[in-house]
Amino acid sequence: MQVLKQLPFVKLLVPTIIGISCVIIYPQLGSYSIFLLVSSLLLFVFFTLNRSKLLFIKLKTLSIFLIFLSFGGLLSHYKNPRNHNQNLENAGLNGVYLIRITEIPQIKLKTIKIQANVLGRIIGKNKILKADELALFYFDKQIQLPKPGDELIVKCNFKPIPEPENPYQFNYKRFLKWQGIYYQTFVKNPENVISTKVNSATFFQLISYKGSQYLKQLFIANIHDSTALGVTESLIFGYKEDIPKDLVESYSRTGTLHVLAVSGLHVAIVFLMLANFLWFLDRWRYGVWLKTVIVLVCIWVYCILTGMAPSIIRAGLMISLVLVGKALNRNANIFNTIAVSAFFILCINPFWLLNVGFQLSFAAVIGIVYLQEYLIPLWTPPNWLLRQVWNILIISICAQIATFPLSLFYFNQFPNYFLLSNLIIIPLTSIVIYTGIGMVIFSKIPFLLLTFSWLTEHFVKMTNYLVVTIEKFPFSFIDGMKINFIQLILLYICIGFTAFWYINTSRKGIINALLCLVLILSVHCFDTIKSQAKRNIVIFNIPNQNALLVSDGKRSVLISDNTLQAKEMFYIRGWLIHNRLWPLYQSYSFKNIDKYHIEILEMDLSLKRGLLFFKGTTFNLSSKNLGKFTHKYSYILPKYFDWNGKYDDNMRDSVLIGQEKTKRLQKKVKKFLSNYHNYVIYDVQDLGFILFNINN
């Protein structure tokens, strides 16, 4: 209880998070939040005025809990654009709209991606049907690049963000939903976009845009290696569009992806640089306050330049609170400071609670703050260099302990050499940030600019080389690990009990931790047994590619037009991991389907002359066999099939499936399967994939 008294904001944050979560899971509860809030406030007033009884004091605490629980629910309800009258559904999804650009446009390979606020639909010469909702716009590159704050008149047709095309694929629709974005539109004709010559950007938007554009031009002019340029832009001001995807994957697999996303680490480096540079101000009478003001201004300018992501806001708030506390000679509890920053971030946008970066950021900082003081004393390095190495290792260990359950839950992989990679990459990226800032400070002095540019480029190239090298080490990462939400919670409980055992040398801690571990393994065994009982045939919807996967629950065989590259495997990876079938057992091509003579006895599967025999069911994978009668088989045609043609009577007890990626064909697939489904149980969705569960 004494500890909780030192953490007042933690006591307020917990019910707020519960309230936000409840309304996110059950949106209908949001409309009742206002009634609960008013009732709780009245109870709080009543119990405050009647403090004579111990029961009323306890009930007062309960009323405070309910106030912030209902506050979190009301916040989620209010921030959801679906609950406002002025939204796109009410304004109409087709017409001419007035929009305001809210973020810096992103230049893609073929289009310009823009996030904008739809202000209303123009329905007459001087009439506008008001709206207030964010949407995604994809403009043709011929359109003049707009700036944040620009107001445009756009003729377009809004469409809902599509569902994922394949089972367990990354749900981009849900990702955008938590940012308040439900619709997108593609504007190909430049004549459908008219500038109003009005710019209503805020002061902070102008700083962010002009600053990022200046930095981008500066780095483009002075860093010549394209890969080094992309990484430098990401490290200094958070622009990630120029980094090759394979390099991003390398950083992810080595456990150093966090350095590419401007986060608390970057803010801390900038803070330390400023604090060390202004050391002389500590000698003056009011130097501490002057130093505090200068550092705070610089930190928040940096936060604005880098886009104000949740991790950036968290770091900025925490450093600000600590600095102000020190200036006032007050040492605030660090966990209370973390709670304050989380509370204010959620007040800005409660749906950031679901943001993976938000969760990883707070988990990492809590792990570092809590565990570091207990692990640092394990060894006392004899010199300064070893102390720095030891500090980096301990910080990496603490952060990894706190974040690896989330990493497994969201990304299904674990970097085995994270200690080595972070020990090398964190110092190098710190140097890059220093030299990059040096480029900005001395951009008007050619000799110094050239020097800092050369250092920045070569340090980045060295960093990239080392990351790729570490990724190629044997067993550099574990891929395809799946844990569900229950296992995620159990993992954190297990970590908590293990920490309790280590800190307090309590036998109960280690017993409870082992019990949690047994439960985690039990859930894993249950899921594995359940997955292995399934027999599946899945047709995946991959652009310009046909892919059929056969699984007996333990192994999987993929048949596709071509060998699938990483970008194509993205479409099926989620399904394989969910069913604990990653990596693939075998892979074959449709092109040589008539020449294969393959038997996989352990799967009861064979592939002969274009016919696939699996668990007593036969599928024709070759159009050459069409029309030949085979008893009880199904056709799966990888190429377009003429649905208007006449079917032979021999096919009446069979299933024909065409894989053309059109809604028209998908509807015909549904219609046809509804008449001919004698030998399979099917599940066809408009998402573009077809899944069969074979009856044993």
Side-chain angles (χ1 to χ4, degrees):
M1 292 299 293
Q2 189 65 30
V3 174
L4 288 176
K5 287 182 179 179
Q6 300 175 8
L7 304 171
F9 256 95
V10 173
K11 293 188 288 185
L12 303 181
L13 178 65
V14 171
T16 304
I17 289 177
I18 294 173
I20 292 171
S21 303
C22 287
V23 173
I24 287 174
I25 298 170
Y26 304 105
Q28 62 272 21
L29 294 177
S31 56
Y32 300 104
S33 298
I34 185 65
F35 301 107
L36 180 60
L37 180 60
V38 172
S39 303
S40 303
L41 285 169
L42 291 174
L43 288 173
F44 173 76
V45 173
F46 175 77
F47 294 135
T48 303
L49 296 174
N50 296 273
R51 292 181 295 177
S52 56
K53 296 182 179 180
L54 180 62
L55 177 62
F56 282 4
I57 296 174
K58 292 182 178 180
L59 289 174
K60 177 186 172 182
T61 303
L62 177 61
S63 67
I64 294 173
F65 182 91
L66 291 175
I67 286 171
F68 282 90
L69 184 140
S70 54
F71 171 73
L74 188 62
L75 202 61
S76 299
H77 182 74
Y78 175 75
K79 290 287 185 178
N80 189 341
R82 299 292 88 192
N83 299 322
H84 300 166
N85 290 327
Q86 295 182 349
N87 56 44
L88 275 172
E89 281 188 357
N90 292 332
L93 301 178
N94 188 10
V96 180
Y97 298 87
L98 177 65
I99 69 170
R100 180 188 296 132
I101 312 300
T102 58
E103 290 189 352
I104 298 173
Q106 298 177 19
I107 300 175
K108 301 293 184 179
L109 184 63
K110 297 180 180 179
T111 60
I112 301 171
K113 180 183 175 183
I114 294 173
Q115 180 177 302
N117 189 29
V118 181
L119 303 178
R121 184 164 70 93
I122 300 171
I123 56 176
K125 196 169 185 181
N126 296 312
K127 293 182 180 179
I128 184 168
L129 189 59
K130 289 186 178 180
D132 184 16
E133 184 173 343
L134 290 175
L136 285 184
F137 292 80
Y138 292 88
F139 289 171
D140 188 271
K141 284 192 172 181
Q142 296 179 16
I143 297 171
Q144 185 177 358
L145 191 67
K147 305 185 294 295
D150 279 356
E151 293 187 4
L152 308 175
I153 295 174
V154 180
K155 182 181 180 182
C156 62
N157 180 21
F158 288 103
K159 294 182 179 179
I161 306 294
E163 294 279 356
E165 295 177 333
N166 296 284
Y168 305 106
Q169 185 181 321
F170 172 69
N171 196 327
Y172 189 57
K173 179 175 183 176
R174 184 172 57 195
F175 171 76
L176 290 177
K177 175 184 175 182
W178 302 133
Q179 298 180 45
I181 300 174
Y182 292 82
Y183 293 98
Q184 66 180 4
T185 184
F186 294 83
V187 184
K188 296 181 179 179
N189 191 346
E191 295 179 359
N192 290 339
V193 180
I194 301 172
S195 175
T196 63
K197 307 298 182 181
V198 174
N199 185 288
S200 52
T202 64
F203 174 72
F204 297 114
Q205 282 180 318
L206 286 174
I207 291 177
S208 179
Y209 176 72
K210 291 183 178 180
S212 62
Q213 291 300 107
Y214 172 76
L215 293 176
K216 187 171 178 61
Q217 294 303 318
L218 177 67
F219 292 137
I220 288 174
N222 293 280
I223 295 179
H224 308 293
D225 183 87
S226 59
T227 304
L229 172 65
V231 174
T232 305
E233 290 172 342
S234 180
L235 285 171
I236 304 301
F237 62 99
Y239 186 80
K240 308 178 187 68
E241 298 301 319
D242 295 335
I243 309 177
K245 289 185 178 180
D246 57 342
L247 184 59
V248 173
E249 191 67 23
S250 297
Y251 274 89
S252 176
R253 289 174 174 176
T254 55
T256 54
L257 184 61
H258 60 93
V259 302
L260 293 182
V262 176
S263 61
L265 172 67
H266 301 70
V267 178
I269 291 171
V270 173
F271 164 70
L272 290 173
M273 183 185 73
L274 290 168
N276 292 329
F277 183 74
L278 300 172
W279 62 270
F280 59 90
L281 291 177
D282 292 332
R283 298 181 178 182
W284 298 359
R285 182 177 178 182
Y286 299 105
V288 173
W289 276 105
L290 180 60
K291 180 179 177 181
T292 300
V293 171
I294 294 173
V295 171
L296 285 177
V297 170
C298 292
I299 286 293
W300 283 105
V301 167
Y302 181 71
C303 291
I304 292 168
L305 281 175
T306 51
M308 298 289 283
S311 56
I312 294 294
I313 298 174
R314 187 265 307 161
L317 279 172
M318 285 184 61
I319 290 174
S320 300
L321 292 170
V322 170
L323 281 174
V324 173
K326 285 188 175 182
L328 295 171
N329 292 321
R330 294 181 181 178
N331 293 319
N333 187 297
I334 187 63
F335 293 103
N336 202 53
T337 304
I338 295 170
V340 171
S341 60
F343 183 82
F344 280 109
I345 289 172
L346 293 177
C347 285
I348 296 169
N349 186 350
F351 297 111
W352 272 343
L353 181 65
L354 302 174
N355 184 284
V356 179
F358 176 91
Q359 296 173 13
L360 289 172
S361 175
F362 276 93
V365 75
I366 291 170
I368 292 169
V369 168
Y370 183 70
L371 296 175
Q372 188 178 14
E373 63 175 304
Y374 298 106
L375 297 181
I376 283 285
L378 288 175
W379 182 49
T380 305
N383 56 57
W384 178 87
L385 180 60
L386 287 177
R387 278 197 297 274
Q388 303 310 307
V389 172
W390 180 241
N391 285 337
I392 292 174
L393 286 174
I394 292 299
I395 289 173
S396 297
I397 291 171
C398 294
Q400 204 68 47
I401 289 172
T403 59
F404 88 88
L406 283 171
S407 297
L408 290 180
F409 182 71
Y410 286 114
F411 309 118
N412 311 114
Q413 60 184 24
F414 182 81
N416 293 326
Y417 300 130
F418 71 91
L419 281 178
L420 173 64
S421 56
N422 279 282
L423 181 62
I424 297 171
I425 302 306
I426 288 178
L428 283 174
T429 51
S430 300
I431 294 171
V432 170
I433 292 173
Y434 286 134
T435 56
I437 293 174
M439 286 178 63
V440 179
I441 295 173
F442 301 108
S443 59
K444 302 301 181 183
I445 306 176
F447 171 72
L448 291 176
L449 174 61
L450 185 64
T451 302
F452 280 110
S453 301
W454 186 89
L455 289 171
T456 301
E457 182 170 351
H458 284 78
F459 272 114
V460 170
K461 289 169 73 173
M462 185 191 303
T463 303
N464 293 341
Y465 172 78
L466 291 170
V467 166
V468 173
T469 301
I470 293 172
E471 184 200 9
K472 292 178 180 177
F473 285 179
F475 310 107
S476 62
F477 67 100
I478 301 172
D479 193 21
M481 296 181 68
K482 176 187 177 292
I483 63 170
N484 57 31
F485 186 73
I486 294 173
Q487 289 173 301
L488 173 69
I489 300 301
L490 287 172
L491 262 178
Y492 273 114
I493 295 173
C494 181
I495 291 170
F497 278 126
T498 304
F500 180 77
W501 162 75
Y502 175 75
I503 294 167
N504 300 288
T505 60
S506 170
R507 185 181 298 177
K508 288 183 180 179
I510 194 64
I511 291 173
N512 290 330
L514 290 172
L515 179 61
C516 286
L517 193 59
V518 170
L519 289 173
I520 291 167
L521 293 174
S522 300
V523 173
H524 174 80
C525 291
F526 176 78
D527 282 351
T528 302
I529 292 170
K530 196 166 106 175
S531 296
Q532 289 180 351
K534 296 178 181 178
R535 306 291 182 265
N536 294 317
I537 297 177
V538 187
I539 300 175
F540 289 94
N541 185 2
I542 302 175
N544 304 316
Q545 182 83 253
N546 294 291
L548 171 100
L549 186 135
V550 183
S551 163
D552 68 345
K554 298 178 183 178
R555 305 167 192 84
S556 57
V557 172
L558 179 71
I559 305 172
S560 57
D561 289 340
N562 303 298
T563 303
L564 297 188
Q565 303 299 320
K567 62 180 181 180
E568 284 98 9
M569 286 300 295
F570 163 80
Y571 292 93
I572 70 172
R573 184 176 184 271
W575 190 90
L576 289 170
I577 291 174
H578 178 81
N579 290 280
R580 303 182 188 278
L581 292 168
W582 182 268
L584 279 170
Y585 184 65
Q586 295 287 350
S587 180
Y588 302 102
S589 171
F590 274 122
K591 290 182 178 179
N592 302 314
I593 202 74
D594 298 317
K595 300 178 183 178
Y596 287 132
H597 189 89
I598 298 161
E599 290 190 4
I600 305 177
L601 298 178
E602 57 268 33
M603 289 183 66
D604 190 15
L605 181 149
S606 63
L607 188 57
K608 300 176 182 178
R609 297 179 182 176
L611 291 175
L612 176 72
F613 301 90
F614 178 60
K615 301 292 182 183
T617 306
T618 308
F619 295 91
N620 176 19
L621 303 181
S622 171
S623 57
K624 291 182 180 180
N625 294 326
L626 186 61
K628 296 180 181 179
F629 177 73
T630 304
H631 182 60
K632 290 185 181 179
Y633 68 87
S634 301
Y635 288 100
I636 297 180
L637 304 179
K639 300 299 180 184
Y640 180 78
F641 182 77
D642 183 10
W643 289 89
N644 296 318
K646 293 182 179 180
Y647 305 113
D648 189 272
D649 290 337
N650 293 332
M651 302 179 192
R652 186 161 293 282
D653 293 333
S654 307
V655 179
L656 288 83
I657 299 167
Q659 264 193 273
E660 192 72 12
K661 315 300 192 300
T662 65
K663 289 185 178 180
R664 178 182 61 82
L665 190 57
Q666 288 175 17
K667 288 179 181 178
K668 289 188 175 182
V669 169
K670 276 188 172 183
K671 184 177 179 181
F672 192 83
L673 287 178
S674 65
N675 296 322
Y676 306 100
H677 55 83
N678 301 54
Y679 300 106
V680 294
I681 298 172
Y682 62 90
D683 177 21
V684 184
Q685 301 185 25
D686 283 331
L687 310 185
F689 67 87
I690 302 169
L691 172 64
F692 299 95
N693 294 313
I694 306 297
N695 280 342
N696 291 325

